[in-house]
Amino acid sequence: MSLRSTLAAAFCLVSLSAIPAHAHEAGDWLFKLGVTQVSPKSNNGSVLDGTVDLDVSSNVRPSFTVTYMATRHIGIELLGALPFQHNVSGDAGLGKIGTTKQLPPTLSVQWHFLPDHTVQPYVGVGLNYTHFFDTHTRGPLAGSSLKLSDSWGFAGQLGVDIKLSDRWFMNADIRYIDISSKVKLDGQRIGTARIDPWVTTLAVGYRF
């Protein structure tokens, strides 16, 4: 089962959330450790005056979040992860033309709807910064210099905490992140990679 399918099943539990539970309180810190999948959209932009369409692969890495509960309903969260690695491919028979790594720290403000329930859904909006590094050419571009610029963009989030005890909980969330990067080959800009991924996470959390 994919992360997205598992996440959808977790959201279905919201309808069963009428059981009272220990709430996240103002001043609490929530630490979550899990796995995150970055799944770029199907159309990832083009280069060389639109003659070559790009395709960026998905990747899964361990991740963590730290959330500070400003009130029982408002949380401020930072997402971090180990570097994601993506293959970059081109159409027109080019195949795999490069690889890159990226770190996408994302800061979000969340609204927690049902702090007293066992299943506690929330929504969030925030700002993403994606740093691309260790980018290399492959295949027909081998030997050239490929660079992807860093990106700032909007992030939207939908998630749920499922209480297991006073301190422990399970977490699932999905984000849409606006990530666009200028592509340079041998120092010359050749186009823009529009990654705009869905980012899904499954995690175990602890409330301090």
Side-chain angles (χ1 to χ4, degrees), residues 3 33-37 60-64 84 200-204:
L3 280 180
L33 185 64
V35 291
T36 293
Q37 181 179 49
V60 177
R61 284 291 186 266
S63 63
F64 67 91
F84 294 91
T200 51
T201 299
L202 294 175
V204 176

Side-chain angles (χ1 to χ4, degrees), residues 119-204:
V119 179
Q120 301 177 6
Y122 58 87
V123 295
V125 294
L127 181 67
N128 166 262
Y129 169 71
T130 298
H131 172 58
F132 292 94
F133 63 101
D134 202 14
T135 302
H136 300 286
T137 53
R138 295 288 187 271
L141 298 186
S144 301
S145 173
L146 185 66
K147 180 176 175 59
L148 299 177
S149 68
D150 293 348
S151 169
W152 291 90
F154 164 84
Q157 179 187 29
L158 175 64
V160 62
D161 293 333
I162 303 172
K163 300 291 288 187
L164 302 177
S165 68
D166 181 23
R167 297 291 179 182
W168 291 95
F169 59 95
M170 296 292 296
N171 171 263
D173 75 24
I174 185 167
R175 306 168 195 252
Y176 175 80
I177 301 179
D178 174 23
I179 301 177
S180 295
S181 175
K182 298 175 183 177
V183 182
K184 290 186 177 181
L185 184 65
D186 293 330
Q188 298 296 316
R189 183 176 175 183
I190 60 172
T192 301
R194 303 188 185 281
I195 300 171
D196 299 343
W198 289 99
V199 179
T200 51
T201 299
L202 294 175
V204 176

Side-chain angles (χ1 to χ4, degrees), residues 18-131:
I19 304 173
H22 299 284
H24 299 330
E25 300 290 348
D28 283 350
W29 288 90
L30 314 177
F31 179 77
K32 292 171 274 188
L33 185 64
V35 291
T36 293
Q37 181 179 49
V38 174
S39 300
K41 67 175 186 176
S42 58
N43 179 7
N44 299 136
S46 61
V47 295
L48 299 176
D49 295 324
T51 60
V52 176
D53 292 330
L54 299 177
D55 180 72
V56 180
S57 67
S58 300
N59 194 231
V60 177
R61 284 291 186 266
S63 63
F64 67 91
T65 60
V66 178
T67 307
Y68 175 72
M69 297 302 297
T71 72
R72 298 176 79 243
H73 291 279
I74 299 175
I76 302 170
E77 180 181 83
L78 177 65
L79 167 68
L82 293 183
F84 294 91
Q85 181 168 318
H86 303 279
N87 296 325
V88 181
S89 300
D91 66 354
L94 290 178
K96 184 177 176 181
I97 58 176
T99 62
T100 190
K101 294 181 180 178
Q102 55 98 350
L103 286 171
T106 304
L107 186 65
S108 299
V109 177
Q110 304 168 335
W111 178 260
H112 293 250
F113 295 99
L114 304 171
D116 295 316
H117 291 188
T118 299
V119 179
Q120 301 177 6
Y122 58 87
V123 295
V125 294
L127 181 67
N128 166 262
Y129 169 71
T130 298
H131 172 58

